[in-house]
Amino acid sequence: MKSVAVIGASLAGLYAARALRAQGFDGRLVIVGEEHHRPYDRPPLSKDFLTGATADQGQLALADAEEIAELDAEWLLGTRATGLDLHGRTVLLDGGRSLATDGVVLATGATPRRLPGPAPTGTHTLRTLEDAQALRAELTRGPVRVVVIGGGFIGAEVASSCARLGHDVTVVEAAPLPLVPQLGDTMAGICSALHADHGVTLLTGTGVARLHDGGAGNRVTGVELADGRLLPAEVVVIGIGVRPNTAWLEGSGLPLDDGVCCDAGGVTPQPHIVAVGDVARVDGIRAEHWTSATEQAAVAAQNLLAGGTVATHRSLPYFWSDQYGVRIQFAGRRLPTDTPRIVEGSPDDRSFLACYERDGRTTAVLALNRPRPFMRLRRELARATQPVTT
Amino acid sequence: MIPVCHLADLPAGESVRIDTAPPIAVFHADGQLYAIDDTCTHQDASLADGWLEGCLVECPLHAASFDLRTGAPTCLPARRAVRTHPVTVEDGMIYVHHHAAEEGTAA
């Protein structure tokens, strides 16, 4: 393989590029990124970057100048991929350009879902550095009423950051309780209680009918709920999930289904094309997690260079969230029927360790502000669920 | 010179964080005492909460790993080293030597 194009210049794309080089690929490496920035870390955007604790965007960089030089890649930043010709092995780029390549790493990530209809000024989503800068600029002008639509991790982290900045915050969640798919009823209830601890209102079980704006100024004035209530707001943040960026691949012949379908090694039916990160549906599962993105990248790079699936990604799912000064960490594969049991600490103190159990066996572990025992159990769980390989 | 705790209160394999500015983590690892800046250089996490294996400590958030002897990261996602600080024991008491942190409060 003489040339590889990595499409997507964020976490997964960078880690794939690193892995290619680390595994001995010394050919032409082109990294195409739609954003104008070199790869940066997104998790701080909803937390320390939004509150101003990490105001320097340089601190978000995922690779320093030395590493960028070592990577010896051609960077096409501010460039969008528009199509893929499988057989000609060509990536089409905006502006009518094209890129011939032997191998392709698809790492185009995902885009926040939006509400139907127009988005008045003052309406935000949070995914990119520019998104965070725009939201931060509005939040530093003085106290406002913020409505966060969506009570998942991003919504909760944004609500936490807004509350810390002194704003009046309401979170609207369509489900009866947020975070249930991730944590189950009991633990979701405990985590959702963090909002009330910090004076943030959580409204559940109601969807959003529409956004109100002031008319001529076209600035948001409030959120009308499906049950008719109107929540006045100067700033609205929409955190209702993401959609994988696959539109540009439609018609390419690659199987797409809420992501690029690939096997457990990140390999598509075309062995010279692999997918990693948020855009990849790996063996039927699309995991929007930082750690999976980095781990998938190493595996997919190995398979791409091998010309077929020689390795698979089977590590234990892990994610974390920082809200209201509480670090939430979760690892494992839980089913809705698994029962959580608190093994250390207390939910009342917002500091505890819980194990999810099935037939007397631990399937997953959740911690609030208990990093050390969490780490120990996460490692045990990883060992128990993975065959030891040499 | 910042008093940390009695040596007897820091068994092998354990660590303690002292609330200097910035905070410092002291480890009893591999038969030695080590002190490094407590905060992972990748993202805000306490290395005193990390996983100790030989002379390496793994960050509890993203599994970055640091060599306690040098402070150097041994794997991604951390890229910058943490500072190391000399440690001594006098009359059974552990002390960390760090001039810039003297202003802080030792716990």
Side-chain angles (χ1 to χ4, degrees):
Chain A
M1 192 163 281
K2 292 206 170 93
S3 60
V4 174
V6 177
I7 314 301
S10 191
L11 181 71
L14 174 68
Y15 270 67
R18 275 175 177 160
L20 288 166
R21 287 300 192 215
Q23 291 170 30
F25 173 67
D26 60 1
R28 183 186 184 206
L29 179 58
V30 184
I31 302 175
V32 178
E34 186 169 2
E35 291 183 62
H36 290 273
H37 310 284
R38 287 264 164 78
Y40 59 89
D41 222 8
R42 297 190 199 280
L45 294 180
S46 55
K47 313 178 196 72
D48 283 353
F49 190 80
L50 205 53
T51 60
T54 307
D56 173 14
Q57 73 178 70
Q59 284 179 267
L60 301 176
L62 281 167
D64 54 25
E66 189 187 350
E67 201 209 348
I68 295 288
E70 279 172 15
L71 209 49
D72 190 22
E74 296 166 44
W75 294 81
L76 299 178
L77 299 177
T79 302
R80 199 161 53 83
T82 56
L84 185 63
D85 174 0
L86 302 188
H87 305 292
R89 303 205 173 197
T90 302
V91 181
L92 306 176
L93 306 175
D94 57 4
R97 291 173 291 170
S98 66
L99 180 64
T101 183
D102 299 325
V104 181
V105 178
L106 302 172
T108 43
T111 304
R113 293 177 58 213
R114 292 167 189 279
L115 296 173
T121 310
T123 311
H124 297 263
T125 52
L126 184 50
R127 176 83 182 177
T128 65
L129 183 57
E130 278 79 9
D131 293 342
Q133 285 167 331
L135 178 56
R136 173 153 176 77
E138 291 217 296
L139 295 173
T140 49
R141 284 185 203 135
V144 292
R145 288 166 296 186
V146 181
V147 172
V148 178
I149 300 173
F153 286 121
I154 282 282
E157 288 174 2
V158 169
S160 160
S161 296
C162 290
R164 179 173 289 189
L165 291 169
H167 302 294
D168 173 17
V169 187
T170 302
V171 177
V172 179
E173 166 63 43
L177 189 62
L179 301 175
V180 170
Q182 293 92 340
L183 303 178
D185 286 328
T186 313
M187 294 299 143
I190 294 167
C191 290
S192 300
L194 294 173
H195 292 297
D197 291 353
H198 295 83
V200 170
T201 306
L202 172 65
L203 299 177
T204 60
T206 180
V208 168
R210 63 192 182 101
L211 301 179
H212 286 227
D213 64 48
N218 197 32
R219 189 172 172 95
V220 74
T221 57
V223 176
E224 185 183 324
L225 302 181
D227 62 15
R229 276 179 290 178
L230 180 65
L231 307 173
E234 286 79 41
V235 172
V236 173
V237 184
I238 300 164
I240 53 173
V242 296
R243 226 189 281 282
N245 292 328
T246 56
W248 68 286
L249 294 168
E250 275 163 26
S252 68
L254 283 182
L256 307 174
D257 175 18
D258 185 39
V260 177
C261 302
C262 47
D263 69 12
V267 182
T268 71
Q270 299 285 334
H272 67 289
I273 301 175
V274 298
V276 294
D278 287 2
V279 80
R281 175 170 288 280
V282 178
D283 201 17
I285 297 167
R286 202 166 61 76
E288 296 165 11
H289 300 312
W290 192 97
T291 306
S292 351
T294 64
E295 292 170 346
Q296 287 169 358
V299 172
Q302 186 183 351
N303 293 332
L304 182 65
L305 295 179
T309 306
V310 295
T312 56
H313 174 249
R314 278 203 42 79
S315 74
L316 196 72
Y318 165 59
F319 59 81
W320 82 96
S321 175
D322 289 337
Q323 310 167 17
Y324 304 108
V326 176
R327 173 155 289 162
I328 301 172
Q329 291 174 286
F330 178 94
R333 295 184 176 88
R334 62 168 278 280
L335 292 176
T337 45
D338 296 352
T339 312
R341 184 168 65 87
I342 293 185
V343 296
E344 195 183 304
S346 159
D348 294 339
D349 300 334
R350 308 299 189 232
S351 172
F352 67 90
L353 184 73
C355 290
Y356 292 85
E357 294 176 346
R358 187 189 315 157
D359 305 327
R361 189 164 66 79
T362 299
T363 56
V365 55
L366 169 73
L368 267 63
N369 276 348
R370 294 263 162 166
R372 201 163 192 194
F374 171 83
M375 189 181 213
R376 183 172 49 76
L377 282 182
R378 179 186 166 197
R379 292 175 79 104
E380 280 177 17
L381 210 49
R383 269 201 304 272
T385 52
Q386 286 203 317
V388 177
T389 53
T390 50
Chain B
M1 199 159 82
I2 306 157
V4 179
C5 66
H6 287 286
L7 181 58
D9 294 332
L10 191 65
E14 290 297 319
S15 54
V16 61
R17 175 171 49 236
I18 51 176
D19 285 333
T20 45
I24 290 175
V26 183
F27 298 86
H28 188 172
D30 241 14
Q32 292 279 331
L33 293 169
Y34 300 96
I36 60 172
D37 278 354
D38 180 54
T39 308
C40 178
T41 58
H42 168 241
Q43 245 172 57
D44 183 17
S46 164
L47 294 173
D49 288 329
W51 183 265
L52 209 49
E53 206 149 346
C55 280
L56 303 181
V57 62
E58 182 185 312
C59 172
L61 196 53
H62 298 140
S65 175
F66 297 89
D67 190 322
L68 295 174
R69 296 164 295 190
T70 61
T74 60
C75 73
L76 290 169
R79 292 172 291 124
R80 283 172 289 127
V82 287
R83 293 181 305 171
T84 60
H85 309 284
V87 189
T88 54
V89 178
E90 286 171 35
D91 297 331
M93 189 74 183
I94 303 171
Y95 293 92
V96 166
H97 303 257
H98 173 39
H99 298 293
E102 296 273 343
E103 305 294 315
T105 348

